[in-house]
Amino acid sequence: MLETLNALESEGLQALEALSASEELPVWYRGYLGRKGRLTDVLRGLGALSAEERPGAGRRANEVKEALETAFHSRQDHIREAELQASIAGGAVDVTLPGRPVAPGHLHLSTRTLRRVREIFAEMGFQVYDSPEVETDEYNFELLNIPAYHPARDMWDTFWINDKVVLRTHTSPGQIRCMRENHPHPIRVILPGKCYRYEQITPRSEHQFYQVEGLAVGHRIRLTDLIGTMQEFASKMYGAGRRMRIRGSYFPFTEPSVEVDMDCILCSGKGCRVCKHTGWLEVAGAGMVHPVVLRNGGYDPEVWSGFAFGMGVERPAMLMHGIDDIRLFYGNDLRFLHQF
Ligand code: FA5
């Protein structure tokens, strides 16, 4: 066995030295080191050796393999370099050849929708306030009037980093951050960003999605201001004439709370799987900022009032483009992405 290995090594090295063109390299490699190569054949024979012979032969086989591999790579570099030099010397590099075209990418549909939402609110005088995606329990829940025992936590189960830190379930914690930073001045901001939920994934629900929060704090701000703002947004986003519905709801951080729905574009209100056969698609949760939340943000609820809303981004995009499955947004299927 040892002689066979020695012979194989010197034959292999000699054959390698004899190579002169890069096309010959893979043929040599397959012949000696490939799956059906000569060394592999020898290695297969190791099992048949006696227990005394096997370790020595195994060690030698590995040495030969390494020697051949190393020699191969240095021969390969040598041949390639020689070929490159020869081609340069022969004037084969045509520097006037046009470059390879780079296919231009484009913005993801979620980003485009977010930008449109920002634009519309900018026209209404709302600034953008950025707040973190990784939040503390305190900001995501406690300061929004959702203490640990509160049943509303069930609606917003999420991914916990540790006992106190979560991936935020909504953009609402940014309300507190923004208020604490701006009090005692009036506020008119939107807070766009990614949210996460421990959620069953369905055609209309993902475990990661975008929201845009809105917050206005000032004097004598009323529910009708909220409704007017939502109506203005809807007519700019979806075109005049879309139907909007406000219905009573519950959020621990707003009082009163409402849900803003749009008629479903996909089925024109007839009912389909996206709108859960109701004809309406829930676009935003909203309401008047709860006194506790105002106080947690540093505003005296006797003097200040405000409205807040939180809307999805993917769902409105689905409405506008007739997309019937939210999972397509994060599926990375180019056939989907290229359409927008
Ligand atoms: C909230 O998250 C509240 N923070 C909204 C709010 C803000 C209320 C301020 C009052 C004041 P809700 O869980 O309903 O509410 O989510 C708001 C919107 O986010 C939904 O209308 C929907 O468009 C979107 N959304 C929620 N969960 C998902 C999901 N799993 N996949 C995609 N979009 C979702």
Side-chain angles (χ1 to χ4, degrees):
M1 172 62 95
L2 288 178
E3 284 100 74
T4 319
L5 282 166
N6 292 341
L8 185 65
E9 182 180 23
S10 59
E11 258 175 60
L13 292 175
Q14 252 175 34
L16 198 57
E17 276 309 304
L19 303 186
S20 56
S22 50
E23 305 86 75
E24 297 166 356
L25 288 162
V27 181
W28 180 94
Y29 195 92
R30 276 198 299 277
Y32 282 90
L33 294 168
R35 266 191 308 130
K36 293 187 181 150
R38 293 175 57 189
L39 183 68
T40 319
D41 262 359
V42 177
L43 290 175
R44 273 197 203 106
L46 281 177
L49 294 181
S50 67
E52 296 86 61
E53 271 183 300
R54 210 178 298 141
R59 207 173 310 118
R60 180 71 190 121
N62 277 333
E63 283 166 13
V64 171
K65 184 165 188 243
E66 238 178 85
L68 290 178
E69 287 273 5
T70 314
F72 173 78
H73 289 295
S74 91
R75 187 75 194 139
Q76 175 170 263
D77 292 347
H78 178 80
I79 290 175
R80 286 190 178 159
E81 177 64 22
E83 285 177 346
L84 182 66
Q85 292 305 333
S87 100
I88 292 171
V93 178
D94 181 355
V95 292
T96 65
L97 277 177
R100 292 198 188 106
V102 178
H106 69 292
L107 294 176
H108 191 279
L109 179 58
S110 301
T111 312
R112 287 184 37 201
T113 314
L114 262 172
R115 289 194 179 185
R116 179 71 192 127
V117 174
R118 280 169 180 242
E119 235 169 59
I120 295 172
F121 281 107
E123 283 166 16
M124 289 193 260
F126 284 77
Q127 293 182 319
V128 172
Y129 183 88
D130 280 322
S131 71
E133 279 178 28
V134 181
E135 262 299 1
T136 57
D137 177 292
E138 188 188 15
Y139 276 86
N140 197 78
F141 297 118
E142 298 275 340
L143 295 169
L144 290 171
N145 205 21
I146 316 173
Y149 57 81
H150 202 291
R153 286 206 178 201
D154 292 349
M155 294 195 290
W156 290 299
D157 199 0
T158 184
F159 305 99
W160 291 76
I161 307 293
N162 59 39
D163 305 357
K164 296 202 161 55
V165 181
V166 299
L167 296 188
R168 68 174 172 193
T169 56
H170 48 177
T171 39
S172 303
Q175 287 187 32
I176 303 280
R177 292 186 180 276
C178 182
M179 283 193 262
R180 288 188 168 182
E181 203 174 302
N182 284 286
H183 80 96
H185 304 291
I187 294 177
R188 216 189 300 171
V189 292
I190 56 166
L191 307 91
K194 213 41 153 339
C195 303
Y196 304 84
R197 287 186 196 181
Y198 179 62
E199 181 110 87
Q200 171 145 29
I201 297 173
T202 66
R204 57 196 303 281
S205 297
E206 258 292 357
H207 66 273
Q208 56 168 355
F209 52 95
Y210 281 99
Q211 275 188 352
V212 178
E213 189 87 4
L215 175 69
V217 178
H219 298 296
R220 289 184 296 280
I221 291 188
R222 292 172 304 182
L223 190 63
T224 43
D225 297 316
L226 167 66
I227 295 173
T229 307
M230 291 279 96
Q231 247 154 6
E232 176 69 8
F233 167 75
S235 74
K236 288 209 164 120
M237 186 83 181
Y238 305 100
R242 284 247 73 85
R243 282 189 300 155
M244 205 175 87
R245 176 175 85 164
I246 306 280
R247 67 199 149 88
S249 184
Y250 171 74
F251 296 101
F253 34 89
T254 44
E255 181 58 38
S257 303
V258 296
E259 206 77 56
V260 182
D261 297 340
M262 301 274 318
D263 57 342
C264 179
I265 272 178
L266 286 190
C267 62
S268 312
K270 284 194 213 73
C272 65
R273 76 177 178 142
V274 171
C275 63
K276 284 195 199 154
H277 305 282
T278 60
W280 295 96
L281 204 81
E282 152 201 320
V283 174
M288 299 306 290
V289 183
H290 197 286
V292 169
V293 175
L294 277 173
R295 210 173 288 119
N296 287 342
Y299 289 82
D300 178 356
E302 298 297 328
V303 184
W304 297 85
S305 62
F307 68 72
F309 57 84
M311 61 172 82
V313 171
E314 289 83 357
R315 286 188 193 161
M318 290 166 77
L319 274 177
M320 287 190 298
H321 298 283
I323 299 163
D324 68 356
D325 197 324
I326 196 169
R327 289 169 289 195
L328 291 164
F329 282 78
Y330 298 103
N332 278 340
D333 187 334
L334 288 176
R335 287 168 303 179
F336 172 74
L337 297 174
H338 279 323
Q339 293 176 48
F340 306 100

